[in-house]
Amino acid sequence: MTRGKNNPSRPPLRLEELEERIAPAGGILAAVSGGSLVITGDNLDNDIVIDQDGLAADEYRVSSGDDATLINDQAGPLIFSGVTKDLSFKLAGGDDELLVNGVGVAGNIKVDGGDGNNQESIYADVAGNLDVKNGRGNQSVVVGALVGKNLSIKNNQGDTLTDLCVEVEGNTSVTNNKGTHAVNIEDSYFGRNLQIKSVSGNTQTVIDYVDVMGNLSVKNGNGNDTLEINSSYLEKNLNINHGNGDTDTLLSEDSLVVGKVGVK
């Protein structure tokens, strides 16, 4: 057989444009168990939105965010009913995004973000506790919520941003491990104690227009730290403990501490 460009038995080659395909950002499993909505992620970058717009009090809509996260192997959104207790999230690894958007919860909200650079935004009315825990990575936690019991935020090693605009009836704690940290709290009410702790790294804490009915405790490890308290009311004691490093503490004249002020 003669091979050449004029061989009539060989059709000309053509390049065809392929249809664009977007790989899903992993997938989650969602189910109602014992009255609680339980959501489990994988080790990819999950992007999840939870809302109740137009739904009954025991119904929740689970949707994908901007990234294409599958929900029970479907594109979603899916609606789950019979939720009378908790919202529980275990997102595993990956850079996950979670938005809980304007929901009411009869029980608790529990978020375990796992390792990865996570972004969690929670806007909710929670009758019980609100607990957020993240593994290693750079974390952003934004909470605008009414919390009937206690609020706890724990971030492992990595840079963190924590923004709170809340009303909490019980105790509140924000704990960060090694890294650079920013904690911003404004227009908030705390019915009992507020504790902010950073293990080490440079930490900036700003507290504006906040009422604390218990003690306010700020404890930083080694690093350069800044603390500002503006236009706030503290019913009991203010305890500040800075580690080694440059520190700057400002308590505005229009703030009131009824109890004692201790600075170390």
Side-chain angles (χ1 to χ4, degrees):
M1 176 183 296
T2 304
R3 299 182 183 272
K5 64 181 179 179
N6 294 322
N7 185 352
S9 65
R10 180 179 180 180
L13 298 176
R14 293 184 303 167
L15 295 178
E16 297 183 359
E17 184 175 352
L18 297 176
E19 180 181 349
E20 182 181 5
R21 290 178 173 85
I22 300 175
I28 64 166
L29 298 177
V32 179
S33 176
S36 296
L37 178 58
V38 179
I39 293 178
T40 305
D42 56 22
N43 286 321
L44 299 177
D45 301 341
N46 302 147
D47 190 350
I48 311 165
V49 179
I50 312 293
D51 77 284
Q52 288 184 303
D53 189 23
L55 301 179
D58 69 339
E59 294 180 323
Y60 294 83
R61 182 182 293 105
V62 182
S63 309
S64 172
D66 293 336
D67 292 334
T69 298
L70 297 179
I71 304 160
N72 294 349
D73 293 324
Q74 302 177 52
L78 300 182
I79 294 175
F80 296 86
S81 61
V83 183
T84 57
K85 293 183 180 179
D86 303 339
L87 295 185
S88 178
F89 304 89
K90 189 171 183 179
L91 301 180
D95 299 340
D96 301 316
E97 295 186 36
L98 171 64
L99 171 60
V100 179
N101 194 14
V103 305
V105 181
N108 308 308
I109 294 182
K110 305 173 185 178
V111 179
D112 184 349
D115 292 341
N117 301 327
N118 300 322
Q119 299 180 44
E120 295 137 353
S121 301
I122 300 172
Y123 304 97
D125 186 344
V126 187
N129 298 315
L130 172 52
D131 296 310
V132 179
K133 179 175 68 174
N134 287 302
R136 294 191 175 193
N138 300 329
Q139 315 296 345
S140 171
V141 180
V142 179
V143 180
L146 303 176
V147 182
K149 293 185 179 179
N150 301 318
L151 169 61
S152 174
I153 299 171
K154 296 180 181 179
N155 294 312
N156 206 326
Q157 185 171 330
D159 298 341
T160 66
L161 169 64
T162 304
D163 278 342
L164 303 182
C165 182
V166 296
E167 183 175 320
V168 182
E169 294 301 325
N171 294 311
T172 298
S173 64
V174 178
T175 304
N176 295 312
N177 208 314
K178 298 178 181 179
T180 299
H181 310 295
V183 179
N184 303 311
I185 305 174
E186 63 178 341
D187 294 327
S188 295
Y189 169 89
F190 299 94
R192 299 186 69 182
N193 299 323
L194 170 60
Q195 181 183 68
I196 303 168
K197 179 180 178 181
S198 298
V199 173
S200 66
N202 300 336
T203 302
Q204 179 179 359
T205 304
V206 179
I207 298 173
D208 287 332
Y209 299 97
V210 168
D211 293 337
V212 182
M213 298 298 102
N215 297 314
L216 171 57
S217 174
V218 179
K219 184 176 181 179
N220 295 315
N222 295 337
N224 301 327
D225 304 317
T226 301
L227 171 63
E228 293 184 22
I229 302 175
N230 302 307
S231 305
S232 295
Y233 173 81
L234 310 182
E235 177 71 21
K236 294 187 177 180
N237 301 322
L238 170 60
N239 299 306
I240 303 171
N241 190 339
H242 292 302
N244 296 326
D246 296 333
T247 62
D248 188 5
T249 302
L250 170 64
L251 179 63
S252 68
E253 292 183 356
D254 60 348
S255 292
L256 175 62
V257 181
V258 177
K260 297 179 180 179
V261 177
V263 180
K264 294 182 180 180

